[in-house]
Each structure stands twice: as structure tokens, then as C-alpha cells.
Amino acid sequence: MIPLTQSAFADKTVVVTGAGRGIGHAVVSEFVRCGARVIAHSGRTGTAGLLRGLTDACFEADFTEPDDLQGFIDWVGELTDTVDVLINNAG
């Protein structure tokens, strides 16, 4: 594994789905440590508040619901013109 520096993702936008706990939350933490602007998704009710202190933005949605998924896609599009990294961790 290549160690990442604290500025490795400066000025980069990273979207992480399934960021509410476990691997997704760890991935968010590491990208934040490396200077990224992180936009997170959590499918778990009540976890967005925990992520808001860590990420630039967080969206709670049930991706098994097409309207929720489309809402997330639209919301990300309103926040940024560019996504440099997408981590699709939603279960």
C-alpha cells in the first residue's frame, strides 16, 4: 500500500456512498485527512449528523428507492461540477 500525504487529494472532490459506518466511514476519514472535499451518502437513518462534522456535505437516502437515488445524483450535481473520485460502497 502506498501511504498518502495529507495533501494528496487537495482540491479534489470525492463522493463516498455507504459512508455511515465501517469501511465507508473509514474511507471518508482518510480522504478528509488527505485534504479532499468529501460528499457523503448514508443509507442509515440518523448517521448524517455524525458525518456532517467530518464531511463537506452528507445526504441520507435509501438507494433501493429510485427517487432517493435520483435525488442523491441531482444533489451532488448541485454541489459540484466535477467528481474526481467515486467510492461506491453502498451495500
Side-chain angles (χ1 to χ4, degrees):
M1 177 158 57
I2 300 169
L4 299 174
T5 65
Q6 287 189 338
S7 61
F9 286 89
D11 301 320
K12 301 294 182 193
T13 299
V14 177
V15 174
V16 181
T17 67
R21 65 183 178 133
I23 292 170
H25 195 273
V27 167
V28 166
S29 297
E30 188 64 13
F31 275 112
V32 167
R33 186 187 71 78
C34 292
R37 174 181 183 223
V38 178
I39 300 170
H41 152 267
S42 177
R44 297 177 52 106
T45 303
T47 57
L50 299 172
L51 289 166
R52 279 195 187 93
L54 184 61
T55 65
D56 291 277
C58 182
F59 191 92
E60 268 183 20
D62 178 355
F63 281 177
T64 65
E65 297 294 330
D67 289 342
D68 280 11
L69 178 57
Q70 188 61 54
F72 177 73
I73 293 166
D74 294 343
W75 178 73
V76 170
E78 292 170 10
L79 293 175
T80 185
D81 293 331
T82 303
V83 173
D84 299 294
V85 178
L86 170 64
I87 305 295
N88 188 13
N89 184 60

